[in-house]
Amino acid sequence: MRIGIDDTDSPRTMCTTYLGAVLARRLNESGIRVNRAYLVRLNPNVTFKTRGNAAIALDAEGDPKISFRLACRCIEELADFGAENTHPGIVVTEEKIPTAFFQRAVQDYCTREEATDLLDDAGALYRGYKNGRGLIGATAATAAEFVDTTYEWLSYRSMDRWGSERYVDAASLRASELATSPHTWDTVDFQNRVVVCVPHTPDPVLFGIRGSNPFWVAKARGFVRSEFPVCEQIYQTNQGTDSHLMKGTIGALIEGRSYDLFGTVAARPETLVGGHVRVTIVEEYGTVSCMAFEPTKGFRDIVRSLLPGDRVRVTGSYKRGSINLEKLCIEALVEDTTLHPPLCPECVRRMTSAGRAKGYKCRHCGSRASSPMTTVAPRTVQIGWYEVPSCARRHLAMPLIRAGLRIPDGGPGEPL
Ligand code: ATP
């Protein structure tokens, strides 16, 4: 059977992954064997999410009714019911919910009624608390099937420490990533000298290590020195797989979906108030602006260095009429040419315009020339893939290091 849970936390406390880890232990203690735990990331553009739009599914063997009772008790004990936007959902199903529902929940929007119709068809046990919105994520989690998959090792704090400053040794995290990269990623951001895997929110997570398989995340975890974790859980997940992206065409983009699309730079990029950078790209059927926000740090320099005519491929979510850039592939670069009035061949002084369509004239000796002089400056970027730094990466975005793609100038920077 699959057990799905979602929407148990609030910005002030709890995390559905922690609740999943606690439930897995309680099920095992009651003789219900948990074979696998899944951390399922859903559409990152859903506005009522608390943080990363995660839901949890457990693959288990045993009595569904006992499992349902245990799961309800766990939610009633741990979920933050007092928070306005917390609407927990729990599903236990022996029959598989169609995977299409999971795929739609990752790339698009679903309704609670669509979820409960599928649950009724499958004869599932389910319960939605408060407005029951959590049933959408809980149902999608039970329907999850990953075409591509990664893993996350999560370590949790004891409840008396929630909200206090975390102790996780930064040097040990750096050693962990250096020893296990490229099989793990996003433990630290070397370029920006930031620890990425330790949250700053008042929830139960102590740290989370992402990697390609259980062996590598466990190996990486072995390096970490920290306060004592009260429990630890390895989740199989769709994080870092780009599964939120759909092939898109400029002119036919829909708000709240995430895309992978091609275009040609239409105009020089602009830096806006707050340091955000905007570049507009064009295709046969329209234009779209692409944003590199301030938290994407050095990635903005890559975007700023684009010129009209460069061919690019971009990935990111389409929100409020713009693509919020996650990755950028420069496919072709135009020459950076500038036209100047030519030098006079007689007196080697700069000529000036002789008037509209009349060429150039030397003001000293009267010589004439018809064409301007062209200078070509070297381009400051190269063809290839670029990505936002790990400190600004979204959960579902595939890191280039995982995709095996070259990262121009992307080696580890200075130590933290
Ligand atoms: P948590 O740690 O609890 O998982 P979160 O950031 O994942 O926090 P939630 O608190 O779960 O966010 O809120 C997301 C809500 O959005 C849930 O109620 C979930 O059922 C719902 N939801 C998720 N994906 C979709 C979707 N594609 N369409 C509509 N609703 C969705």
Side-chain angles (χ1 to χ4, degrees):
M1 75 189 136
R2 279 272 179 105
I3 303 164
I5 48 175
D6 195 14
D7 209 339
T8 64
D9 63 4
S10 71
R12 69 180 175 214
T13 190
M14 193 40 60
C15 170
T16 305
T17 70
Y18 171 75
L19 210 144
V22 171
L23 178 59
R25 276 147 192 78
R26 291 187 186 176
L27 289 165
N28 276 325
E29 282 160 15
S30 320
I32 293 161
R33 202 170 102 187
V34 176
N35 296 322
R36 253 169 209 279
Y38 299 98
L39 195 180
V40 183
R41 295 284 176 187
L42 302 171
N43 186 346
N45 307 310
V46 160
T47 47
F48 28 77
K49 67 181 180 177
T50 308
R51 282 180 277 267
N53 203 5
I56 293 302
L58 301 175
D59 210 298
E61 286 169 48
D63 186 326
K65 286 196 181 118
I66 298 176
S67 307
F68 185 67
R69 259 202 318 272
L70 280 171
C72 290
R73 209 176 295 155
C74 209
I75 284 192
E76 285 156 21
E77 183 189 322
L78 294 172
D80 188 9
F81 280 93
E84 197 188 340
N85 283 321
T86 301
H87 303 279
I90 152 100
V91 171
V92 176
T93 179
E94 288 184 291
E95 199 174 294
K96 187 88 185 61
I97 306 292
T99 313
F101 186 77
F102 154 69
Q103 281 157 350
R104 217 150 50 75
V106 175
Q107 297 188 329
D108 205 336
Y109 294 85
C110 308
T111 65
R112 199 188 51 197
E113 290 64 36
E114 286 167 336
T116 51
D117 284 352
L118 291 172
L119 296 173
D120 290 336
D121 289 349
L125 299 169
Y126 64 90
R127 178 150 185 205
Y129 295 86
K130 295 170 71 182
N131 79 10
R133 191 196 285 143
L135 279 174
I136 301 170
T139 306
T142 60
E145 241 168 63
F146 302 147
V147 181
D148 184 15
T149 193
T150 65
Y151 289 78
E152 180 160 3
W153 176 295
L154 277 154
S155 295
Y156 298 101
R157 319 184 74 196
S158 62
M159 211 176 259
D160 56 312
R161 286 179 177 264
W162 295 1
S164 66
E165 201 184 327
R166 291 166 171 87
Y167 167 65
V168 186
D169 178 56
S172 73
L173 293 174
R174 199 169 64 238
S176 168
E177 176 137 352
L178 286 173
T180 58
S181 174
H183 309 288
T184 64
W185 49 85
D186 292 355
T187 301
V188 290
D189 178 341
F190 283 102
Q191 278 171 352
N192 294 298
R193 297 168 161 230
V194 212
V195 167
V196 181
C197 71
V198 179
H200 301 286
T201 41
D203 59 71
V205 176
L206 180 57
F207 61 85
I209 293 187
R210 295 171 181 202
S212 54
N213 64 40
F215 166 80
W216 281 108
V217 293
K219 187 174 165 73
R221 189 267 171 268
F223 285 85
V224 183
R225 288 190 302 269
S226 70
E227 67 187 56
F228 186 73
V230 73
C231 90
E232 308 198 280
Q233 178 71 47
I234 296 183
Y235 278 107
Q236 185 174 353
T237 171
N238 59 345
Q239 287 171 173
T241 62
D242 272 349
S243 53
H244 59 316
L245 301 179
M246 307 158 84
K247 294 276 173 217
T249 311
I250 298 174
L253 306 178
I254 301 171
E255 181 74 18
R257 309 323 190 249
S258 306
Y259 291 103
D260 176 356
L261 49 90
F262 294 87
T264 301
V265 175
R268 280 187 183 268
E270 308 159 79
T271 299
L272 311 177
V273 177
H276 314 303
V277 176
R278 177 168 62 204
V279 61
T280 301
I281 62 173
V282 58
E283 260 288 67
E284 204 178 339
Y285 300 108
T287 63
V288 68
S289 61
C290 302
M291 297 297 302
F293 290 104
E294 191 282 330
T296 65
K297 307 289 175 202
F299 177 71
R300 293 171 302 162
D301 295 334
I302 307 297
V303 178
R304 271 193 203 102
S305 60
L306 292 170
L307 287 179
D310 289 343
R311 270 301 285 169
V312 292
R313 176 176 176 183
V314 299
T315 67
S317 293
Y318 185 60
K319 287 171 88 174
R320 289 181 288 277
S322 296
I323 294 285
N324 295 352
L325 290 172
E326 291 169 12
K327 284 195 284 278
L328 162 74
C329 181
I330 303 179
E331 301 211 312
L333 290 167
V334 293
E335 281 192 331
D336 185 4
T337 54
T338 316
L339 300 180
H340 310 274
L343 292 177
C344 171
E346 301 302 325
C347 49
V348 203
R349 292 181 200 219
R350 183 79 55 199
M351 292 175 142
T352 54
S353 172
R356 202 171 143 77
K358 287 187 180 154
Y360 299 90
K361 187 175 176 186
C362 178
R363 300 287 163 202
H364 293 273
C365 67
S367 297
R368 285 186 167 268
S370 54
S371 317
M373 198 173 111
T374 306
T375 54
V376 181
R379 293 298 303 268
T380 53
V381 276
Q382 304 162 30
I383 284 173
W385 278 98
Y386 297 85
E387 64 186 346
V388 302
S390 45
C391 62
R393 197 191 324 278
R394 301 176 100 189
H395 300 288
L396 278 165
M398 188 188 294
L400 291 180
I401 201 154
R402 173 162 193 256
L405 294 166
R406 188 174 63 90
I407 311 174
D409 308 317
E414 290 291 304
L416 292 167

